[in-house]
């Protein structure tokens, strides 16, 4: 997968050279290019922002550098011309008829050859594990990191002629800019690419993969500061271990994220069986009802 990130703070993305994703890049599984937006400015001060039309606080990012940057990155170029491997074909590039263009609401509409342009925004679609899996199937992602109060809206309207534009959010809180969201997105997607995580089975056991939170985990020693590893985990009974893990994942989800249980029950009525529902009832969770269990500190 090729990923291009455009930002005024390329150093913010430096951690992607470390650890698992650094290795993925050296192996050629992830082809990451981070671009400095200021490379597409044409004035002496390399200006990227101006005051908001209509007045108000803060600054808005100028359309001119963004337009040039997204055009160049679409062609597979950096600010100084071609970089890395040749870009993918550009079947969307003849769509410039100036017609009104709607932004894509979700990345799962029929792919039409236009690459995805992901735009971090507190008002975007919430990134979750299902969306990370959808993105991992794409050959190419471009991430446009805005700062200040945002990017001039015309940039996204214009980009929709060449890209499937998807504003996305990490959660309902405000960051100073899109860089941390881009970092999180590239890590969440990159680790799902084939070959990046050594044992693919481990991917399936994680929180959010089955619509539930993961069970607690333990290692050696069996007793530490007076706290024991649960006996069942040392028993060697694989069936009992699996049931305990399922139960603990369910209990945790009921206590911490009952919204996930409601979503799971609504999306897949068969996802919770009688044994599951019995454990959940002990935590005070019943389908359709909303009686959170008393806080337990867990
Ligand atoms: N989830 C989220 C994204 C943001 C951004 S993007 C650019 C500025 C702020 N805040 N929160």
């Amino acid at each position: 997968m090729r990923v291009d990130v455009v930002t005024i703070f390329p150093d913010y993305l430096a951690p992607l050279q470390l650890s698992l994703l650094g290795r993925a890049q050296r192996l050629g599984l992830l082809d990451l290019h981070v671009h400095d937006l200021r490379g597409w400015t044409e004035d002496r001060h390399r200006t990227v922002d101006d005051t908001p039309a209509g007045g108000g606080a803060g600054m808005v990012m100028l359309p001119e550098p963004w337009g040039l940057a997204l055009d160049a990155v679409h062609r597979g170029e950096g600010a100084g011309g071609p970089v890395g491997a040749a870009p993918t074909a550009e079947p969307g590039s003849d769509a410039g008829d100036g017609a009104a263009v709607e932004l894509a609401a979700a990345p799962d509409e029929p792919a039409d050859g236009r690459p995805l342009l992901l735009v971090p925004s507190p008002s975007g679609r919430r990134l979750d594990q299902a969306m990370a899996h959808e993105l991992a199937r794409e050959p190419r992602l471009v991430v446009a990191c805005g700062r200040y109060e945002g990017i001039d809206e015309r940039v996204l309207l214009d980009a929709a002629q060449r890209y499937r534009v998807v504003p996305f959010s990490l959660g309902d809180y405000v960051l100073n800019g899109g860089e941390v969201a881009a970092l999180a997105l590239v890590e969440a997607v990159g680790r799902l690419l084939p070959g990046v995580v050594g044992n693919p089975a481990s991917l399936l056991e994680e929180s959010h993969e089955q619509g539930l939170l993961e069970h607690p985990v333990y290692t050696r020693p069996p007793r530490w500061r007076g706290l024991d590893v649960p006996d069942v985990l040392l028993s060697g009974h694989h069936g009992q271990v699996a049931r305990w893990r399922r139960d603990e994942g369910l209990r945790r989800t009921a206590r911490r994220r009952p919204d996930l249980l409601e979503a799971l029950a609504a999306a897949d009525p068969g996802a919770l069986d009688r044994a599951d529902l019995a454990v959940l009832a002990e935590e005070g969770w019943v389908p359709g009802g909303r009686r959170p269990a008393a806080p337990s500190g867990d």
Side-chain angles (χ1 to χ4, degrees), residues 226-250:
L227 300 168
D228 290 331
V229 172
D231 284 338
V232 62
L233 298 180
L234 306 175
S235 70
H237 290 108
H238 297 303
Q240 288 177 28
V241 170
R243 183 70 246 173
W244 181 87
R245 287 178 171 165
R246 174 85 182 167
D247 290 351
E248 292 301 309
L250 288 163

Side-chain angles (χ1 to χ4, degrees), residues 3-292:
V3 179
D4 290 89
V5 181
V6 183
T7 169
I8 57 168
F9 294 120
D11 291 349
Y12 242 108
L13 283 298
L16 293 175
Q17 302 308 317
L18 304 174
S19 188
L20 208 67
L21 290 195
R23 176 180 161 274
Q25 289 176 76
R26 291 189 294 276
L27 291 175
L29 304 172
L30 173 67
D31 181 22
L32 176 68
H33 300 264
V34 180
H35 308 272
D36 186 346
L37 178 70
R38 291 191 203 273
W40 286 282
T41 55
E42 292 177 330
D43 66 313
R44 207 161 56 82
H45 299 289
R46 308 216 295 166
T47 312
V48 292
D49 63 334
D50 205 337
T51 53
M59 298 291 267
V60 174
M61 297 192 94
L62 288 163
E64 205 51 53
W66 273 113
L68 294 173
L70 296 179
D71 289 350
V73 167
H74 189 270
R75 296 191 297 267
E77 297 175 5
V83 285
T88 49
E90 301 186 11
S93 57
D94 62 349
D97 61 1
V101 193
E102 265 302 300
L103 303 189
D108 54 2
E109 61 181 38
D112 54 11
R114 288 176 299 164
L116 278 178
L117 177 64
L118 293 150
V119 186
S121 163
S123 52
R125 169 182 169 182
R126 189 68 160 263
L127 177 65
D128 62 13
Q129 192 65 11
M131 181 169 165
H133 277 282
E134 290 169 16
L135 296 177
R137 292 199 298 267
E138 296 283 333
R140 179 145 204 233
L141 303 176
V142 177
V143 189
C145 299
R147 284 255 141 189
Y148 316 114
E149 308 307 308
I151 303 172
D152 187 302
E153 186 68 14
R154 294 168 294 179
V155 171
L156 306 187
L157 294 170
D158 173 66
Q161 297 181 29
R162 291 170 295 287
Y163 292 97
R164 286 172 289 146
V165 179
V166 179
F168 78 97
S169 166
L170 286 192
D172 296 337
Y173 44 84
V174 179
L175 303 169
N176 287 329
E179 286 76 11
V180 165
L183 207 49
L185 177 115
V186 174
E187 182 158 320
V189 173
R191 64 193 298 284
L192 297 177
L193 299 175
V196 173
V197 168
N199 177 7
S202 67
L203 289 175
L204 295 174
E205 291 167 12
E206 288 156 338
S207 290
H208 303 298
E209 284 295 349
Q210 315 293 329
L212 297 172
L213 302 184
E214 202 186 8
H215 53 79
V217 296
Y218 298 83
T219 183
R220 281 186 284 263
R223 166 160 262 224
W224 177 78
R225 296 191 177 181
L227 300 168
D228 290 331
V229 172
D231 284 338
V232 62
L233 298 180
L234 306 175
S235 70
H237 290 108
H238 297 303
Q240 288 177 28
V241 170
R243 183 70 246 173
W244 181 87
R245 287 178 171 165
R246 174 85 182 167
D247 290 351
E248 292 301 309
L250 288 163
R251 287 187 202 282
R252 253 193 184 175
T253 313
R255 290 178 196 158
R256 299 181 183 176
R257 294 292 306 277
D259 58 306
L260 294 179
L261 289 172
E262 297 298 345
L264 182 64
D268 178 5
L272 301 171
D273 66 16
R274 292 175 61 90
D276 294 337
L277 292 170
V279 172
L280 291 170
E282 289 179 13
E283 299 296 331
W285 187 90
V286 287
R290 17 156 215 91
R291 289 184 291 111

